[in-house]
Amino acid sequence: MIIVLEPKIKKSEYEELLSYINNYKLTIHTSQGDNHIILGLVGDTSRIDVKDIAGLNGVKDAFRVSESHKLCSRTFHPHDTIIKVGNVQIGGEAIIMIAGPCSVENREMVLDLSDKVYQAGTNILRGGAFKPRSSPYTFQGLGAEGLDYLREAADKHQMPVVSEIMDDHDLDLFCKSVDIIQVGARNMYNYTMLKKLSSVTKPIILKRGLSASIEEWLNSAEYIVSGGNPNVVLCERGFRTFEKTTRFTLDLSSVPVLKKLTHLPVIVDPSHAMGNRNYVLAMTRAAVAAGADGIMIEVHQNPDKALSDGPQSLFPNQFTQLMGEIDLIARAIGRRLHKH
Ligand code: PEP
Ligand code: MN
């Protein structure tokens, strides 16, 4: 249930409202709109009569929201959420770039790549240390050692760093080592993990599941937000269809749809969606034009020798070219690339 307060609600009226709500075991989330404070009631509100609440002094309106992802909804929180990580703001006017290798393969490669992507204008370094691989016989990542190398590489340029968590038992390690925790497509439905991630305040990049509808995806975000962590970024990365010429089908229509439905920042990962570096530039341009708040790209010095996702990884010079092109597109739609 959403309750919109009158701008000049008196303290006594507010207290009366709270004591009314406190009769029902509900959690109250507060959001500041343009002119009004909005309360989101979470829990079983079925015994409350909306008209009773709407009739209280100091209450402008009260209504039920049909979506189950209430706290992620724009109805509850009309303004865009802006998530601050170090000097980077995700979800503001400026579009952010997250780039780096698919996997951290060794210290030297990630240190060198971090220099290259930073010089091209990257804001946040990415790199997998615990890799969700389809085959158990392929490179599984360097684990904690990989996170150390990633941290060192990012610190060289004061860049925040993001890496994927695969097991919620590693949460303490991730909280110590990275600035943003990524939930991969394969774990979007891992509700146990989502609940654990709601107990920290580290920003979470929540990738769209391989077969997830927008509704399911937003419900997964709601697990994190309703548990107490409001810092969720949604990452579109394509889903599985009958089409085999690309690795997945990149659903760029989710960008404007999400922008309408939710206040959370939305970024796009064209690398995993396309699975082929030849298509990454075109889909990055399209993602920026569609209104994405950020882009995540895989880059490798020598993609043919990469231990994971070589075919979709850009060469560093291709990445530099891409950065120049999307800056023009960002400006054409009244935005710009985030400076570091
Ligand atoms: C990744 O970003 O390294 C990754 C494995 O992505 P996804 O979960 O989208 O497949
Ligand atoms: Mn990858």
Side-chain angles (χ1 to χ4, degrees):
M1 183 179 292
I2 300 281
I3 304 175
V4 185
L5 305 184
E6 290 285 6
K8 292 204 175 108
I9 185 170
K10 293 190 189 119
K11 194 164 176 272
S12 58
E13 292 168 342
Y14 187 61
E15 278 162 6
E16 193 187 334
L17 172 66
L18 288 189
S19 77
Y20 185 103
I21 298 169
N22 285 338
N23 294 324
Y24 307 88
K25 287 193 182 126
L26 299 170
T27 315
I28 307 176
H29 294 260
T30 309
S31 156
Q32 179 70 56
D34 264 339
N35 302 310
H36 303 278
I37 292 178
I38 303 173
L39 306 185
L41 305 192
V42 177
D44 179 10
T45 58
S46 59
R47 288 177 303 130
I48 302 187
D49 187 337
V50 181
K51 286 197 231 88
D52 281 355
I53 297 249
L56 292 175
N57 287 334
V59 172
K60 183 168 189 292
D61 201 1
F63 49 92
R64 293 191 187 281
V65 264
S66 47
E67 312 102 301
S68 46
H69 37 85
K70 299 176 194 333
L71 302 178
C72 294
S73 153
R74 264 213 197 269
T75 320
F76 166 60
H77 190 297
H79 288 296
D80 286 343
T81 284
I82 298 180
I83 298 172
K84 294 196 179 68
V85 195
N87 294 327
V88 182
Q89 295 197 5
I90 313 175
E93 183 201 334
I95 296 168
I96 57 134
M97 176 55 76
I98 305 174
C102 175
S103 306
V104 177
E105 299 175 4
N106 56 61
R107 180 171 175 267
E108 289 66 36
M109 74 85 77
V110 72
L111 282 171
D112 176 58
L113 255 187
S114 132
D115 293 348
K116 291 188 161 78
V117 295
Y118 178 78
Q119 276 150 22
T122 294
N123 309 104
I124 299 174
L125 184 67
R126 65 146 285 147
F130 296 84
K131 293 304 300 176
R133 304 304 305 282
S134 307
S135 164
Y137 305 119
T138 51
F139 179 59
Q140 303 286 304
L142 297 180
E145 186 188 344
L147 290 183
D148 286 344
Y149 298 151
L150 194 63
R151 181 79 266 166
E152 182 185 350
D155 284 351
K156 226 175 129 187
H157 302 291
Q158 281 100 49
M159 272 192 286
V161 73
V162 57
S163 197
E164 177 173 351
I165 190 164
M166 291 265 288
D167 181 335
D168 50 40
H169 292 106
D170 292 329
L171 185 55
D172 285 346
L173 171 68
F174 271 73
C175 283
K176 275 187 225 117
S177 323
V178 305
D179 305 289
I180 305 175
I181 302 173
Q182 178 170 316
V183 176
R186 291 152 192 83
N187 271 312
M188 191 213 82
Y189 291 112
N190 184 342
Y191 301 118
T192 310
M193 180 186 282
L194 299 178
K195 282 184 196 164
K196 293 260 170 64
L197 294 174
S198 77
S199 66
V200 299
T201 52
K202 282 266 169 194
I204 309 293
I205 290 183
L206 178 64
K207 288 201 155 191
R208 184 177 193 168
L210 305 185
S211 63
S213 66
I214 289 177
E215 175 85 10
E216 290 171 319
W217 188 11
L218 285 173
N219 275 318
S220 288
E222 188 81 9
Y223 266 94
I224 304 173
V225 176
S226 65
N229 183 353
N231 303 315
V232 178
V233 179
L234 299 163
C235 179
E236 169 64 58
R237 47 80 71 214
F239 49 58
R240 209 161 250 161
T241 66
F242 49 81
E243 183 51 61
K244 294 284 168 281
T245 51
T246 52
R247 190 173 175 193
F248 296 94
T249 295
L250 182 59
D251 177 20
L252 286 181
S253 64
S254 72
V255 177
V257 172
L258 287 168
K259 283 277 152 198
K260 179 156 175 36
L261 295 179
T262 178
H263 51 89
L264 297 174
V266 180
I267 65 169
V268 173
D269 169 356
S271 302
H272 287 90
M274 305 315 285
N276 178 334
R277 83 179 65 91
N278 294 320
Y279 306 133
V280 169
L281 173 59
M283 296 318 283
T284 303
R285 292 181 189 132
V288 170
D293 297 306
I295 302 288
M296 179 185 276
I297 302 262
E298 287 186 345
V299 186
H300 196 285
Q301 295 95 331
N302 190 354
D304 292 339
K305 294 269 161 53
L307 298 182
S308 61
D309 287 349
Q312 71 200 30
S313 299
L314 295 185
F315 287 92
N317 64 335
Q318 291 179 311
F319 179 67
T320 304
Q321 182 202 340
L322 174 147
M323 289 298 278
E325 291 203 15
I326 61 172
D327 190 38
L328 291 173
I329 296 171
R331 286 173 196 280
I333 59 163
R335 297 182 79 174
R336 59 192 161 83
L337 290 191
H338 200 305
K339 295 269 172 295
H340 36 52

